[in-house]
Amino acid sequence: MTKPIILAVDDDPGVSRAVARDLRARYGADYRIIRATSGAEALATLAQLTLRDRSVALVASDQRMPEMTGIEVLEEVRRQAPDAKLLLLTAYADTDVAIKAINDIGLDYYMLKPWDPPEELFYPVIDDLLSDWNQDHPDDTSEVRVVGHRWSDRSHEVKTFLARNHVPYRWLDIEQDDEGQRLLELAQGQAGDLPLVLVPDGETLRTPSTLELADALGLRTRAEQPLYDLCIVGGGPAGLAAAVYAASEGLRTVVVERDAPGGQAGQSASIENYLGFPKGLSGADLTHRAVAQAARFGAEMVLARDVVGFEMRGPVRAVRFDGRGEVESRALLIATGVSYRRLDAPGLEQLGVHGAYYGATASEASQCQGEDVYVVGAANSAGQAALNLARYAKRVVMVVRANRLEDTMSQYLVGRIRSMENIEVRLRSEVVAARGDGHLEALTVADRAANTEEEVLTAWLFVFIGASPRTDWLGTDVVRDDKGFVITGHDLLSSTQAPRWPLSRAPFALETSVPGVFAAGDVRLDSMKRVASAVGEGAMSVYLVHRYLATI
């Protein structure tokens, strides 16, 4: 396989050689390093690479060059090689220009010169950029292949599981891809075997369960230790933050996640108000970084296991899995987040996921090319989904019950939605019915202001209408409110639903009615419902776990 390209551009020959030397020393085994001493030479080289169908992973350009500035070079690179990562090498005086380029041309990063020693200042930046590029450009020969058809519930679930666990895969629809039909015949498969999942060097999986799929992919599905200091149920932002801090501080830590790390945030197309990321980042990217960070500190991740029960065994807190298996720990953190509420519209439930989706991943967005798409909801998650879908769809219609978007959505999203020509917002409106033969074909939208109803043709509906926690597995020992949200800390003492707190000390903040059991993130009553606050609560919970463990 040919190596991807890293192109370094600097008009000073000595600096150009030094940049290329530093890059070659670190990345030469996996990338071909090319240098250019002018913007014109760089663009000519890039044109030849494009004609030869060579992948360009990263272009690093000096800003101050006589005939063409670095930003001008990178702007042209963005047009010719839109997937390449762009790095600007600049001086302190040019930082305002670099920041502007983040918005204008999608600059990925800018660095101040000099960067000696490169091990501390240069390589970590390049590592991060190349890691992102490689995640989006996997080797096709090592991809998992999924053979199914568009309106299959299980095919959708398998694709979602793979995407959210950052497993590269290729989708082959037997109704649209000859290769998909050929593979089905080679496997001597029938319609009831779909989806087929073909894992490199593995057995062909036929309609696999999530646990079977995870095992075939080599994902960890079983805990390895008999007793942990902290078990975290839920791998969203709160759970992952807790895992990072707990493991880094020496606690034996395990995270149990029934679907995939990231939670609802992991499905977000873009999180633009998270501290430290001026360009924003996707929920998948944030999740991928957090999982890698937790693993680096030694936290275990147990995937595809549904927790169905909780038990107190003296000083031990135990969670039981669906089927067989359990985890015992000295402290427990509930970070299961929430699930999107179902839309109550006649005809919709019978369709399953045959065109009606709760949440949206990048794979669904890319399949909406040239079609009309409807989004129900007006929170940030709905706004982010609408903007992502609008990149592919012919038209995105947002169906909103409220009088205005600003009541429930951040202003930066409202402004972007209004600037998109192919996004239409229908206020004071609701989806009241759905119909279709085997899959969604039409919706009935009621306009409450005009007191009218209209049937619209569409095969795509994405629903974001609030959320509810899944906490029934906690039993009666952990006190929740009437909607299932976990009550913690000071609220326990004033809750009429809470039993008498069993200890002489007051419950710690984030501690539930069971000492040593904590809750963080969206599952907790009166939480803020933001990624940053969930991360903060996850980190805070570890401090409280330490305090609890010191008392037993």
Side-chain angles (χ1 to χ4, degrees):
M1 179 181 175
T2 56
K3 296 179 181 179
I5 306 297
I6 296 177
L7 176 60
V9 190
D10 198 299
D11 65 310
D12 185 325
V15 175
S16 177
R17 284 191 295 270
V19 173
R21 181 196 63 226
D22 286 347
L23 289 170
R24 195 168 288 113
R26 177 80 165 217
Y27 308 104
D30 299 312
Y31 298 86
R32 181 185 171 196
I33 313 300
I34 298 176
R35 64 186 183 92
T37 55
S38 72
E41 181 185 354
L43 296 179
T45 300
L46 184 64
Q48 289 298 316
L49 293 170
T50 302
L51 289 172
R52 296 171 183 171
D53 198 23
R54 298 293 303 276
S55 297
V56 179
L58 182 142
V59 179
S61 177
D62 182 50
Q63 166 63 4
R64 294 194 174 189
M65 295 187 294
E67 297 178 358
M68 184 181 293
T69 68
I71 289 177
E72 290 171 339
V73 172
L74 296 179
E75 184 176 16
E76 184 60 26
V77 170
R78 179 61 78 209
R79 282 192 284 268
Q80 292 193 38
D83 293 332
K85 293 298 179 181
L86 306 184
L87 172 63
L88 187 69
L89 309 175
T90 186
Y92 183 82
D94 297 321
T95 53
D96 288 344
V97 176
I99 292 171
K100 185 174 184 296
I102 291 175
N103 295 320
D104 291 349
I105 68 170
L107 180 68
D108 293 292
Y109 208 94
Y110 69 90
M111 284 187 61
L112 301 182
K113 300 192 299 184
W115 51 74
D116 188 64
E119 291 78 7
E120 296 180 12
L121 302 177
F122 189 49
Y123 294 152
V125 171
I126 304 296
D127 286 347
D128 208 25
L129 293 174
L130 292 178
S131 174
D132 289 349
W133 186 87
N134 279 300
Q135 183 181 329
D136 294 333
H137 298 79
D139 178 6
D140 290 346
T141 61
S142 64
E143 280 184 328
V144 171
R145 289 170 292 172
V146 181
V147 180
H149 58 85
R150 175 180 176 181
W151 304 118
S152 161
D153 283 5
R154 189 57 193 150
S155 292
H156 169 73
E157 292 164 359
V158 165
K159 290 190 295 179
T160 299
F161 179 83
L162 293 172
R164 295 187 60 199
N165 280 284
H166 307 283
V167 177
Y169 73 92
R170 184 152 54 99
W171 165 245
L172 297 165
D173 191 321
I174 60 169
E175 296 177 353
Q176 298 179 1
D177 298 296
D178 293 339
E179 178 69 2
Q181 186 62 49
R182 186 181 74 86
L183 291 171
L184 180 62
E185 293 172 359
L186 285 174
Q188 299 180 344
Q190 306 297 323
D193 294 328
L194 296 176
L196 296 179
V197 181
L198 286 73
V199 180
D201 302 320
E203 296 292 328
T204 297
L205 305 178
R206 302 168 189 265
T207 321
S209 69
T210 302
L211 182 58
E212 290 170 339
L213 179 58
D215 281 333
L217 294 169
L219 302 177
R220 181 173 291 170
T221 60
R222 294 163 184 80
E224 301 209 341
Q225 300 184 42
L227 180 66
Y228 294 85
D229 295 314
L230 176 62
C231 174
I232 302 165
V233 180
L240 291 174
V244 168
Y245 281 92
S248 69
E249 293 171 11
L251 296 180
R252 292 170 297 172
T253 304
V254 62
V255 180
V256 180
E257 169 57 53
R258 69 169 179 168
D259 295 317
Q264 282 190 7
Q267 301 179 59
S268 177
S270 179
I271 303 171
E272 298 189 60
N273 57 356
Y274 191 70
L275 183 67
F277 292 88
K279 259 190 74 174
L281 77 168
S282 68
D285 189 15
L286 178 62
T287 300
H288 182 68
R289 293 166 186 261
V291 169
Q293 195 173 15
R296 175 189 166 213
F297 288 121
E300 289 184 30
M301 185 76 65
V302 174
L303 297 174
R305 301 309 300 263
D306 193 11
V307 173
V308 297
F310 162 70
E311 294 179 9
M312 292 185 293
R313 301 172 181 173
V316 172
R317 309 302 182 233
V319 294
R320 293 182 285 103
F321 297 154
D322 185 18
R324 292 189 308 166
E326 64 181 19
V327 171
E328 289 190 335
S329 60
R330 300 166 67 208
L332 174 68
L333 175 64
I334 306 162
T336 47
V338 291
S339 301
Y340 289 114
R341 290 208 310 265
R342 314 301 282 186
L343 179 62
D344 185 16
L348 196 59
E349 194 62 33
Q350 294 88 326
L351 294 172
V353 295
H354 298 177
Y357 304 93
Y358 293 84
T361 64
S363 61
E364 277 100 31
S366 63
Q367 293 175 35
C368 299
Q369 189 81 39
E371 301 194 39
D372 285 353
V373 174
Y374 283 73
V375 175
V376 178
N380 280 5
S381 55
Q384 290 160 348
L387 288 167
N388 188 45
L389 291 163
R391 297 167 54 202
Y392 303 93
K394 175 183 177 183
R395 183 175 65 134
V396 176
V397 180
M398 297 190 68
V399 182
V400 178
R401 294 178 60 182
N403 294 323
R404 57 189 211 133
L405 284 176
E406 289 85 347
D407 292 341
T408 52
M409 189 180 295
S410 296
Q411 185 60 47
Y412 77 94
L413 286 172
V414 175
R416 290 184 61 194
I417 287 170
R418 287 177 174 163
S419 70
M420 296 290 289
E421 294 183 356
N422 65 333
I423 297 182
E424 175 187 344
V425 180
R426 296 191 181 183
L427 300 172
R428 297 188 63 186
S429 298
E430 297 180 61
V431 171
V432 295
R435 68 169 177 85
D437 182 10
H439 61 85
L440 178 64
E441 296 176 354
L443 298 170
T444 300
V445 180
D447 185 327
R448 298 308 185 194
N451 199 27
T452 60
E453 291 187 356
E454 175 190 8
E455 185 176 81
V456 295
L457 300 180
T458 183
W460 298 95
L461 173 67
F462 295 90
V463 181
F464 303 83
I465 55 170
S468 56
R470 191 189 67 88
T471 53
D472 291 345
W473 62 274
L474 289 167
T476 58
D477 292 319
V478 177
V479 174
R480 283 108 58 204
D481 74 352
D482 56 1
K483 295 181 180 178
F485 289 95
V486 178
I487 300 174
T488 59
H490 179 76
D491 290 339
L492 281 172
L493 302 180
S494 59
S495 172
T496 58
Q497 303 178 58
R500 184 180 299 277
W501 172 249
L503 302 180
S504 58
R505 68 166 174 83
F508 297 130
L510 307 185
E511 193 168 23
T512 71
S513 55
V514 177
V517 177
F518 301 82
D522 291 358
V523 73
R524 193 178 65 81
L525 179 65
D526 290 335
S527 63
M528 187 176 170
K529 307 297 188 291
R530 286 289 186 269
V531 174
S533 62
V535 169
E537 288 190 8
M540 177 182 172
S541 70
V542 175
Y543 164 72
L544 301 174
V545 166
H546 279 296
R547 292 182 64 185
Y548 166 74
L549 293 177
T551 67
I552 62 174

